[in-house]
């Protein structure tokens, strides 16, 4: 975000929260959401975006991710409607081409979700642990500084550690060490940072609205 002139990390947070809501309404798989955010962030790292274009970029990223991950991808007309008709069908098609060219069509990217599934399997997770860890992992998407600072594998490990702590299990295990290659002392600082940033976001009445509705 440092090279962006008309948008900032707060605007990105609001966009991601809105994308989470649209993603949830369309009943897409979790991986589609994580890939959407990955596409948005990689594009913003390469291209300067005007404020009025930000929602178009996010919506089109969701379209691209759904085509990659879903059996039945998003319908452009539905996404145009989700944007209250601010953007046209043709604008979204043109933006799709622009984003794909900027990213050189590289969509096979390991996201937090890829690592989260692996670690939850290693942790022999029950429903409660999966739910809590998914909540933390999805919440971390909203924070630009968290996404910039840590690797997807680190954030997935932090989500599992926080979830295990919340349900009263040992926060790490030899099996998790084996499959993640992270020690407990490696993950704890990341987990603390994630929790601190999420608490800060939660204190704002405008941010993380969709996350509250989805998980609370």
């Amino acid at each position: 975000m440092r090279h962006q002139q008309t948008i900032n990390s707060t605007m990105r947070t609001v966009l991601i929260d809105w994308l989470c809501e649209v993603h949830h309404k369309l009943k897409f798989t979790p991986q589609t959401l994580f890939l959407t955010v990955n596409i948005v962030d990689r594009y913003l790292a390469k291209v300067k975006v005007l404020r009025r274009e930000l929602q178009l970029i996010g919506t089109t990223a969701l379209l691209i991710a759904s085509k990659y991950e879903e059996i039945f991808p998003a319908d452009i007309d539905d996404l145009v409607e989700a944007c209250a008709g601010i953007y046209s069908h043709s604008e979204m098609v043109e933006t799709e081409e622009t984003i794909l060219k900027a990213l050189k069509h590289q969509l096979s990217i390991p996201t937090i979700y890829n690592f989260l599934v692996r670690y939850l399997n290693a942790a022999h997770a029950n429903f409660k642990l999966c739910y809590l860890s998914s909540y933390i992992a999805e919440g971390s998407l909203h924070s630009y500084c968290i996404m910039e600072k840590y690797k997807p594998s680190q954030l997935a490990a932090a989500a599992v550690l926080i979830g295990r702590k919340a349900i009263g299990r040992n926060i790490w295990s030899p099996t998790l060490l084996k499959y993640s290659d992270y020690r407990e002392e490696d993950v704890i600082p990341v987990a603390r940072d994630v929790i601190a940033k999420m608490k800060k976001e939660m204190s704002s009445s405008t941010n993380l609205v969709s996350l509250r509705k989805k998980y609370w």
Side-chain angles (χ1 to χ4, degrees):
M1 299 293 291
R2 286 184 291 273
H3 74 286
Q4 296 291 344
Q5 298 177 344
T6 62
I7 61 174
N8 55 38
S9 58
T10 300
M11 295 176 190
R12 177 198 172 278
T13 297
V14 174
L15 172 68
I16 299 306
D17 196 62
W18 179 79
L19 286 172
C20 290
E21 182 177 358
V22 175
H23 167 272
H24 186 55
K25 287 181 178 179
L26 293 174
K27 299 180 180 179
F28 285 155
T29 61
Q31 177 60 5
T32 297
L33 175 61
F34 285 86
L35 181 58
T36 297
V37 177
N38 180 278
I39 291 171
V40 169
D41 285 343
R42 284 194 291 142
Y43 185 77
L44 293 180
K46 291 176 177 291
V47 181
K48 290 182 180 179
V49 174
L50 297 176
R51 183 181 301 185
R52 60 181 173 82
E53 298 174 334
L54 185 58
Q55 188 178 23
L56 176 60
I57 297 300
T59 308
T60 307
L62 178 59
L63 172 65
I64 294 170
S66 72
K67 287 183 176 182
Y68 190 81
E69 296 290 348
E70 303 289 338
I71 297 175
F72 300 104
D75 185 277
I76 294 182
D77 292 332
D78 290 338
L79 295 179
V80 169
E81 184 179 348
C83 296
I86 298 174
Y87 310 108
S88 67
H89 187 287
S90 59
E91 282 180 303
M92 205 164 290
V93 172
E94 291 173 6
T95 304
E96 180 181 12
E97 182 179 3
T98 300
I99 292 175
L100 288 172
K101 284 183 177 179
L103 302 184
K104 299 181 180 179
H105 294 80
Q106 294 179 357
L107 299 178
S108 297
I109 301 295
T111 66
I112 297 172
Y113 188 73
N114 296 119
F115 292 101
L116 183 65
V117 171
R118 176 180 173 84
Y119 300 162
L120 287 174
N121 285 332
H124 304 291
N126 56 19
F127 174 79
K128 184 178 287 188
L129 178 55
C130 289
Y131 195 82
L132 288 169
S133 299
S134 296
Y135 168 71
I136 297 297
E138 191 169 317
S140 68
L141 294 175
H142 294 71
S143 175
Y144 171 74
C145 60
I146 287 292
M147 295 295 291
E148 181 186 40
K149 186 175 181 180
Y150 299 111
K151 298 176 182 178
S153 57
Q154 290 177 300
L155 293 173
V160 173
L161 184 146
I162 294 167
R164 286 170 66 92
K165 175 68 174 178
I167 65 174
R169 292 175 61 175
N170 292 332
I171 59 177
W172 214 237
S173 70
T175 306
L176 282 166
L177 171 61
K178 175 182 177 181
Y179 285 96
S180 70
D181 205 28
Y182 289 125
R183 300 169 300 170
E184 180 179 314
E185 53 266 36
D186 299 325
V187 183
I188 288 176
V190 184
R192 287 175 175 165
D193 205 1
V194 169
I195 288 295
K197 293 297 187 299
M198 286 187 66
K199 284 182 177 179
K200 182 178 179 180
E201 295 289 351
M202 285 295 184
S203 66
S204 171
S205 60
T206 59
N207 295 337
L208 303 186
V209 175
S210 70
L211 195 64
R212 292 190 184 100
K213 290 180 179 178
K214 183 175 180 180
Y215 286 96
W216 289 16

